[in-house]
Amino acid sequence: MVNSFTNLLERSLGKKLKDEEIEYMSYVTNGTKRMNLLLDDLRDYAMVNRGNVSPQTIDLNLVVSQVQQNLYANIQESNASINVSNLPVVKAVFTHMLQLFQNLISNAIKFRDEDTPEVIIQSEERSEDYLISVSDNGIGIEKEYIDQVFTLFKRLHTDEEYEGTGIGLALCQKIITNYGGEIWLDSELNKGTTFYFTFPKLEVAA
């Protein structure tokens, strides 16, 4: 509502506004957009623990395909390539898996330098679980900050550099932990980052 009325006020006053006043208006609209994004992310974070949706058998390849549709504009604008190896079928809530992969893939596209973003998603079947990785060729993370990236509200960059709320990776960790898995990363500054997470295998009936 604040954003809508600010836009109406700006259109109503039009050329009567001074440059300084237009700048103030932009602070209001940008602030409300950030607050809206924060509230959306907080809602997603809070909803993960609610058990009102039963897990289903889900093909993670279809999840990633949906994510690519959701991020179509970002992928086109950055000319990013998303390379996916054959991913497993797991038992989970579809929206949780969508949130997980969308956060990891969108981060891989967002935190880039001049190079065209390349995202590689792979899976390895192990005795009791799957090890899945999401790698990129982006800006990377300094070693001293690697242990902090899953902290709620922790941001390594300003809004002027990269917008965000500091909730995305905390949400990813919460999702994976709730399914009994683990998530971690390996990164090198200016060379890229790889996120790894484990996911339990489907129980096969005897």
Side-chain angles (χ1 to χ4, degrees), residues 5 10 14 54-56 59 68 71 86 90 99 103-104 112 124 129 134 161 172 195 198:
F5 277 108
E10 189 172 4
S54 299
Q56 309 255 332
D59 185 343
Q68 291 185 75
L71 298 177
N86 193 36
V90 300
Q99 289 169 327
N103 273 301
L104 294 176
R112 65 182 189 272
E124 175 190 341
D129 60 19
V134 179
E161 295 174 305
C172 290
F195 283 90
T198 59

Side-chain angles (χ1 to χ4, degrees), residues 3-205:
N3 198 42
S4 297
F5 277 108
T6 303
N7 290 332
L8 285 172
L9 184 61
E10 189 172 4
R11 286 199 296 270
S12 175
L13 294 174
K15 294 182 180 180
K16 295 179 183 178
L17 288 172
K18 299 176 183 177
D19 289 343
E20 186 180 58
E21 292 167 337
I22 293 174
E23 185 179 5
Y24 293 157
M25 290 284 194
S26 71
Y27 291 152
V28 175
T29 54
N30 289 336
T32 54
K33 286 177 183 176
R34 286 196 298 272
M35 182 59 70
N36 190 56
L37 180 62
L38 176 61
L39 291 172
D40 285 345
D41 286 352
L42 279 171
R43 179 200 60 208
D44 291 341
Y45 188 82
M47 289 292 289
V48 169
N49 278 344
R50 299 191 180 179
N52 56 347
V53 182
S54 299
Q56 309 255 332
T57 301
I58 295 171
D59 185 343
L60 292 182
N61 295 285
L62 298 179
V63 173
V64 173
S65 178
Q66 180 64 59
V67 169
Q68 291 185 75
Q69 291 180 47
N70 295 350
L71 298 177
Y72 179 79
N74 306 66
I75 293 171
Q76 290 295 109
E77 181 271 330
S78 63
N79 200 29
S81 64
I82 314 291
N83 300 303
V84 187
S85 297
N86 193 36
L87 298 178
V89 173
V90 300
K91 192 168 186 179
V93 176
F94 185 85
T95 54
H96 293 169
M97 297 300 97
L98 194 68
Q99 289 169 327
L100 172 67
F101 279 98
Q102 188 152 314
N103 273 301
L104 294 176
I105 294 172
S106 63
N107 276 356
I109 295 172
K110 178 168 65 172
F111 295 108
R112 65 182 189 272
D113 50 24
E114 295 82 10
D115 293 334
T116 300
E118 295 179 3
V119 185
I120 300 173
I121 304 172
Q122 297 177 311
S123 174
E124 175 190 341
E125 183 176 0
R126 307 196 300 186
S127 59
E128 297 183 355
D129 60 19
Y130 296 103
L131 175 62
I132 300 171
S133 63
V134 179
S135 302
D136 65 57
N137 62 335
I139 61 174
I141 302 170
E142 293 183 65
K143 298 295 183 185
E144 61 187 286
Y145 297 121
I146 285 180
D147 292 336
Q148 304 176 35
V149 298
F150 296 109
T151 304
L152 192 62
F153 300 122
K154 180 65 180 179
R155 299 198 59 210
L156 304 183
H157 304 278
T158 64
D159 278 327
E160 287 73 23
E161 295 174 305
Y162 302 96
E163 66 175 16
T165 60
I167 295 177
L169 290 178
L171 175 62
C172 290
Q173 184 183 55
K174 190 173 186 180
I175 290 170
I176 289 299
T177 300
N178 281 0
Y179 285 98
E182 297 180 24
I183 184 169
W184 67 96
L185 71 146
D186 185 26
S187 185
E188 189 170 348
L189 198 61
N190 300 320
K191 290 193 175 181
T193 301
T194 299
F195 283 90
Y196 300 93
F197 62 90
T198 59
F199 208 94
K201 297 173 74 170
L202 278 172
E203 293 184 7
V204 180

